[in-house]
Amino acid sequence: MAANCVSKVELSISCNNLLDKDVGSKSDPLCVLLQSIGDDKWTEVERTERVKNCQDPEFSTKLHIDYHFEKVQKLKFGVYDIDNKSVNLSDDDFLGGFECTLGQIVSSRKITRPLQLKAGKPAGKGTITVTADETKDNRAIVMEVEAKNLDKKVHCSDYDSDGSHDLIGVFQTNVSDLQKAHASPVEFDCIHPEKQKKKKSYKNSGVIRIKDCKQCCSISYSCIIYSFLDYVMGGCQINFTVGIDFTGSNGDPRSPDSLHYLSPNGVNQYLSAIWSVGQVVQDYDTDKLFPAFGFGAQVPPDFKVSHEFPLNFNPSSPYCQGVQGIVDAYRMVLPQIRLYGPTNFSPIINHVARIAAGAAQQPNAAQYFVLLIITDGEITDLDQTRQAIVNGSKLPMSIIIVGVGEADFKAMEFLDGDNGVLKSLTGEPAARDIVQFVPFKQFDKAPKEALAQSVLAEVPNQLVSYFKMRNMAPVNPPSPTK
């Protein structure tokens, strides 16, 4: 048994060749970590100790921050020369700093940047190095458990099915007491809190018997529970691909009623979804080259219908440079194509699956793929798409579907699989849940970050579930906790 831990990242800070602001001695540096709370406002998270007379400090105090994959967490590091006992930094000399995202740090594990006195302006000298580690214990407890005299039988069902889980009882213990079972079995009364309150004669709702318990200390995968951060910080690249619906039901892009119409400020729901999701995922892809495709349009020069055409019209290299490159390619292609139909998802899912299948041949967890599909309506090739998703569930990939407009998205909710395991037309079940669907209209009045937080929330568990299913360790596994 293993419980998910709250992801908390520990940052180690060092600096090199800092500015010397003191007369007759070297600077006394301290590093402070700030996190953005929006609207160009920052709040202090933690700060290191002050190191006296040092231009190359290695701070012993680690900085800690909660990590959320689905958010863009903007950070600011500032280094100050401390010459007094005040905690207020406004009267201390600023030696330099830099801004980045937490995603950039954990995806690289270690980054070194030149210090800046102001954004975009180098301090003249000095660098800062930030190294990330996850603060958790990777070891697992393996237990052999049995129960007796429970109040009633319990039906084990999928957690997401209907939520109708009945509590039999609980017990509390610790690892030390559990490990006593390695010598001889130990028993615990299973207590139902409400029944205990109501009945004075209540003893228990059964007995839990721990027949054996031992702590794994081997570095083998079977004993270590790897987390999402273990894979990402260990070298796993997350590859981002976009598929955009250019079917006729979107409406003429020149009309303000069209979902592809670009408002005076140059945006629409398609671009908002690309920006929202892309800005998060891009931190986990080193080269920032993202394949982007369209489907359901008549494409030049012969204007045949295509369900898998690159936005840059370059089949041999469909990559866009960064999220901005996807946006630019979308705006470029829009006036050159004719919106048509039908709405087929399977070609682009199969395209990403073919690439993921190649990555699956690697001996370790080097690559994972996230496909974002943005669509305005009912899917035409539902049976083929079901099969494509079932096939993809055995590969290192996740699929995010964002529905724009006011259409009926029942088929998308069916593909999501939250109401039961998705099966192909032949009855083959998905090996794991890899699809997340959300309608864009739910986020019309929400903060711009809300869409990404919703659609990306399941990706970490989906990534871990795939590599666990394959018994694959990170490219560079973390050192076992002593």
Side-chain angles (χ1 to χ4, degrees):
M1 298 178 182
N4 289 332
C5 300
V6 174
S7 294
K8 186 176 284 288
V9 173
E10 180 180 86
L11 304 176
S12 302
I13 314 295
S14 63
C15 298
N16 182 257
N17 198 28
L18 292 177
L19 286 170
D20 188 359
K21 290 284 189 176
D22 291 347
V23 178
S25 65
K26 295 183 172 63
S27 295
D28 303 328
L30 168 153
C31 182
V32 61
L33 170 62
L34 306 175
Q35 182 170 11
S36 172
I37 55 175
D39 298 324
D40 203 30
K41 296 179 180 178
W42 300 81
T43 183
E44 180 174 334
V45 179
E46 284 185 348
R47 60 177 69 182
T48 68
E49 82 282 8
R50 166 195 180 198
V51 179
K52 292 185 178 181
N53 296 322
C54 186
Q55 289 179 279
D56 304 294
E58 290 189 10
F59 298 102
S60 59
T61 302
K62 313 297 183 185
L63 306 181
H64 300 87
I65 184 169
D66 289 338
Y67 167 79
H68 303 276
F69 166 74
E70 68 274 13
K71 296 180 181 180
V72 177
Q73 295 176 263
K74 295 180 181 179
L75 305 180
K76 182 188 292 186
F77 295 85
V79 182
Y80 293 82
D81 177 19
I82 308 299
D83 290 321
N84 54 57
K85 295 183 179 180
S86 170
V87 297
N88 191 336
L89 298 174
S90 61
D91 56 355
D92 296 300
D93 289 324
F94 182 57
L95 302 180
F98 87 107
E99 297 179 20
C100 66
T101 68
L102 184 55
Q104 289 171 332
I105 297 174
V106 300
S107 62
S108 301
R109 197 161 203 166
K110 181 179 181 179
I111 61 173
T112 299
R113 295 287 188 271
L115 290 169
Q116 299 178 332
L117 288 177
K118 291 184 179 180
K121 295 185 178 181
K125 62 186 298 189
T127 60
I128 182 171
T129 298
V130 182
T131 305
D133 286 292
E134 185 178 8
T135 56
K136 73 176 185 65
D137 191 334
N138 274 19
R139 294 170 296 178
I141 295 293
V142 179
M143 293 185 288
E144 185 179 355
V145 182
E146 67 179 13
K148 62 182 180 180
N149 298 329
L150 293 180
D151 273 0
K152 57 183 177 180
K153 293 180 180 178
V154 61
H155 172 67
C156 296
S157 59
D158 181 80
Y159 179 82
D160 289 326
S161 58
D162 60 8
S164 58
H165 314 295
D166 296 322
L167 175 67
I168 295 178
V170 298
F171 73 93
Q172 294 182 352
T173 185
N174 55 46
V175 173
S176 296
D177 286 344
L178 287 172
Q179 286 184 301
K180 294 175 183 177
H182 196 48
S184 61
V186 293
E187 294 184 348
F188 301 92
D189 286 337
C190 192
I191 304 298
H192 192 295
E194 296 301 320
K195 292 181 179 180
Q196 189 179 41
K197 289 179 183 177
K198 293 178 181 178
K199 298 180 181 179
K200 291 184 178 180
S201 61
Y202 176 82
K203 183 178 180 182
N204 60 48
S205 294
V207 175
I208 302 296
R209 191 168 190 255
I210 310 299
K211 298 173 67 177
D212 189 20
C213 178
K214 59 184 177 181
Q215 179 175 286
C216 283
C217 56
S218 163
I219 61 171
S220 68
Y221 183 88
S222 61
C223 282
I224 291 184
I225 308 299
Y226 290 116
S227 70
F228 174 74
L229 278 175
D230 287 332
Y231 287 109
V232 169
M233 297 166 90
C236 182
Q237 292 283 297
I238 298 180
N239 302 279
F240 181 48
T241 301
V242 176
I244 300 174
D245 183 339
F246 287 107
T247 55
S249 54
N250 283 277
D252 187 341
R254 296 169 294 183
S255 168
D257 296 329
S258 171
L259 291 167
H260 280 296
Y261 177 74
L262 294 175
S263 65
N265 60 352
V267 299
N268 57 30
Q269 290 186 7
Y270 280 92
L271 288 180
S272 295
I274 291 170
W275 271 116
S276 180
V277 178
Q279 283 189 312
V280 174
V281 179
Q282 68 175 349
D283 284 343
Y284 302 86
D285 189 321
T286 303
D287 62 17
K288 307 280 188 292
L289 293 174
F290 306 130
F293 298 91
F295 58 92
Q298 294 176 323
V299 180
D302 54 7
F303 288 97
K304 291 182 178 179
V305 176
S306 173
H307 299 289
E308 187 190 335
F309 64 90
L311 295 191
N312 63 5
F313 293 138
N314 185 353
S316 62
S317 182
Y319 305 100
C320 300
Q321 182 63 57
V323 180
Q324 184 62 54
I326 300 175
V327 172
D328 293 342
Y330 169 82
R331 289 173 173 160
M332 179 274 296
V333 79
L334 200 54
Q336 300 185 58
I337 58 175
R338 299 172 185 168
L339 275 60
Y340 203 70
T343 307
N344 291 350
F345 283 8
S346 60
I348 193 167
I349 294 175
N350 288 331
H351 175 95
V352 174
R354 286 191 295 271
I355 301 172
Q361 303 306 310
Q362 296 174 300
N364 48 30
Q367 295 190 75
Y368 194 81
F369 297 80
V370 173
L371 168 61
L372 169 64
I373 298 176
I374 314 171
T375 183
D376 82 313
E378 281 296 313
I379 185 171
T380 309
D381 64 338
L382 182 59
D383 292 341
Q384 294 91 331
T385 297
R386 287 167 62 183
Q387 185 64 59
I389 292 172
V390 169
N391 294 342
S393 70
K394 294 172 279 190
L395 298 170
M397 63 182 290
S398 292
I399 302 170
I400 296 166
I401 305 174
V402 176
V404 297
E406 301 296 327
D408 181 356
F409 293 112
K410 287 182 180 178
M412 307 304 163
E413 294 168 354
F414 168 73
L415 295 175
D416 192 311
D418 280 350
N419 293 320
V421 177
L422 178 70
K423 296 181 180 180
S424 70
L425 192 62
T426 61
E428 180 186 2
R432 57 194 183 91
D433 179 15
I434 65 169
V435 178
Q436 174 72 356
F437 166 75
V438 296
F440 189 92
K441 62 185 177 183
Q442 286 187 359
F443 303 91
D444 270 346
K445 298 180 181 179
K448 60 183 181 180
E449 302 87 3
L451 175 65
Q453 291 175 22
S454 177
V455 298
L456 292 173
E458 294 185 13
V459 169
N461 284 338
Q462 290 172 352
L463 181 149
V464 171
S465 72
Y466 171 76
F467 292 124
K468 181 179 180 181
M469 179 178 72
R470 293 286 310 279
N471 286 335
M472 298 177 78
V475 178
N476 298 300
S479 301
T481 306
K482 302 299 184 186

